[in-house]
Amino acid sequence: MTKPRLAFPLWGLAIVAMVAAVAAMTTVQRDFAAPAPMAKPGSLSPQQWPPLRDRFMTADGRIVDDANNNISHSEGQGYGLLLAVLAQDRAAFARIWGFTKRELLLRDDGLAVWRWDPGASPHVVDVNNASDGDILIAYALALAGESWNSPELRTAAQDLATAIGRILVKRAGDRTVLMPAAKGFAASERPDGPVVNLSYWIFEALPVLAQLAPEADWAALADSGRELVLAAGFGPARLPANWISLHSAAPAPALGFDRLFGYDAIRIPLYLVRAGLVDRPLLEPFARLGGATPDAPAVVNLADGRVTNALVDPGYRMIAATVACALDRKPIPASLRTPAPTNYYPSTLHLLALATIAQNYPECL
């Protein structure tokens, strides 16, 4: 499977309580190296979210991937839920969650099916899941449950987090890793398995999931994600592949996938910055994002370092600008500060990056 591409008190006290709870857990033996600055409801302005919402959300709460035959997927639903919380749009959140619960939460293990196709009958033809979508949905539910004091949303978040921890957080050698899906990527299923996708590590969500489902070792998962970001720099560009084999001691690009730093992996630096993981050795390999200049991201062939496709959409350029801000406090270019929707995926990343800057690096604006 590939893709294109708990009750809490007031918000400020809840952040302190959540981080403290993570640090105190007896089932997790290591602290997170850097506590994630939790996504803050209200970090998207009233002007930023509605254009994307109105462009990509249907009346019944389906987020449409317009560059992929108008399908929907758990990733898109998770992004939509998270953006709705950040914008404090409770009505949109309810619609997106309603579609997600009704149309994707169909598996008997508590995870969401990953793909919903409006042109297929039935609409779900692949019941496998995608762990990034599951994490985004659980994280957004937790934030919404806290922000709006909803026991129903808190319970749904906890149920999904428990399923993620039980089914998708696994040991692979001396690492704790996130399986991309329940099926298809394990050592028993692939000659180069296990295979992982580093862009599925949504670092900011892991401390929240740790409180929701402490049976899994989320701190070890965060550790392995950071270690793999450093270890999986391939070819002249020293960038990670979208899909990585952990079959041998040293990570390698996975078999059967293009050896590319591409549309999946471009999210990795955004997730690092959003989680406050901005140590220069960790983030600096992404300073150029494969392009000739810092503001020109690209898809890169990792075998020879050749640029195969320039990523000129403002959403991709916003990721490069976010890295430059986090590393060196470079101002966000004026042309990127007022996003206009283009396609679902880069437009979504654009809003997540702007929310990050507004919350944690306002000096860059």
Side-chain angles (χ1 to χ4, degrees), residues 246-312:
L246 302 180
H247 182 73
S248 301
L255 302 174
F257 296 96
D258 292 333
R259 296 167 62 93
L260 297 176
F261 169 85
Y263 292 97
D264 278 6
I266 197 170
R267 298 178 290 186
I268 296 171
L270 175 61
Y271 289 161
L272 291 171
V273 174
R274 283 187 57 82
L277 300 172
V278 293
D279 294 346
R280 190 168 290 272
L282 193 66
L283 200 57
E284 199 160 47
F286 300 99
R288 293 186 180 275
L289 287 176
T293 63
D295 62 348
V299 175
V300 178
N301 184 319
L302 296 174
D304 56 14
R306 177 174 51 89
V307 169
T308 66
N309 185 26
L311 301 178
V312 298

Side-chain angles (χ1 to χ4, degrees), residues 15 19 32-40 82 86 135-136 139 198-208 218 221-223 225-226 229 267-279 282-283 322-323 326 352-353 355-357 359-361:
I15 295 175
V19 174
F32 289 97
M38 294 220 348
K40 183 179 180 181
L82 180 55
L86 298 183
I135 289 175
L136 285 164
Y139 180 46
L198 278 176
S199 76
Y200 286 22
W201 262 259
I202 303 167
F203 290 99
E204 68 185 279
L206 300 186
V208 178
W218 303 98
L221 184 63
D223 288 345
R226 291 190 299 270
V229 170
R267 298 178 290 186
I268 296 171
L270 175 61
Y271 289 161
L272 291 171
V273 174
R274 283 187 57 82
L277 300 172
V278 293
D279 294 346
L282 193 66
L283 200 57
T322 299
V323 173
L352 286 173
T356 304
I357 299 301
Q359 179 178 335
N360 298 317
Y361 304 98

Side-chain angles (χ1 to χ4, degrees), residues 26 118 188 215 238 242 255:
T26 58
S188 60
E215 298 83 6
R238 306 306 299 164
N242 291 330
L255 302 174

Side-chain angles (χ1 to χ4, degrees), residues 105-322:
L105 285 171
L106 307 177
R107 294 169 55 98
D108 60 9
D109 60 6
L111 302 174
V113 299
W114 83 276
R115 177 186 174 103
W116 192 96
D117 188 342
S121 182
H123 295 301
V124 174
V125 296
D126 182 355
V127 298
N128 208 0
N129 72 299
S131 58
D132 63 332
D134 293 317
I135 289 175
L136 285 164
I137 293 168
Y139 180 46
L141 288 170
L143 296 180
E146 174 189 348
S147 184
W148 299 322
N149 192 26
S150 169
E152 178 186 354
L153 295 178
R154 294 171 190 140
T155 298
Q158 188 167 32
D159 290 345
L160 184 49
T162 299
I164 296 167
R166 183 181 72 252
I167 300 165
L168 301 172
V169 178
K170 299 292 185 182
R171 291 294 293 178
D174 60 356
R175 297 184 178 99
T176 298
V177 301
L178 180 68
M179 299 309 298
K183 300 293 184 183
F185 296 92
S188 60
E189 297 170 305
R190 292 177 53 95
D192 62 339
V195 165
V196 299
N197 187 318
L198 278 176
S199 76
Y200 286 22
W201 262 259
I202 303 167
F203 290 99
E204 68 185 279
L206 300 186
V208 178
L209 301 187
Q211 187 185 25
L212 293 169
E215 298 83 6
D217 196 342
W218 303 98
L221 184 63
D223 288 345
S224 73
R226 291 190 299 270
E227 182 262 326
L228 284 169
V229 170
L230 292 170
F234 304 123
R238 306 306 299 164
L239 289 168
N242 291 330
W243 296 93
I244 298 169
S245 167
L246 302 180
H247 182 73
S248 301
L255 302 174
F257 296 96
D258 292 333
R259 296 167 62 93
L260 297 176
F261 169 85
Y263 292 97
D264 278 6
I266 197 170
R267 298 178 290 186
I268 296 171
L270 175 61
Y271 289 161
L272 291 171
V273 174
R274 283 187 57 82
L277 300 172
V278 293
D279 294 346
R280 190 168 290 272
L282 193 66
L283 200 57
E284 199 160 47
F286 300 99
R288 293 186 180 275
L289 287 176
T293 63
D295 62 348
V299 175
V300 178
N301 184 319
L302 296 174
D304 56 14
R306 177 174 51 89
V307 169
T308 66
N309 185 26
L311 301 178
V312 298
D313 188 284
Y316 300 128
R317 291 190 287 115
M318 183 63 195
I319 296 178
T322 299

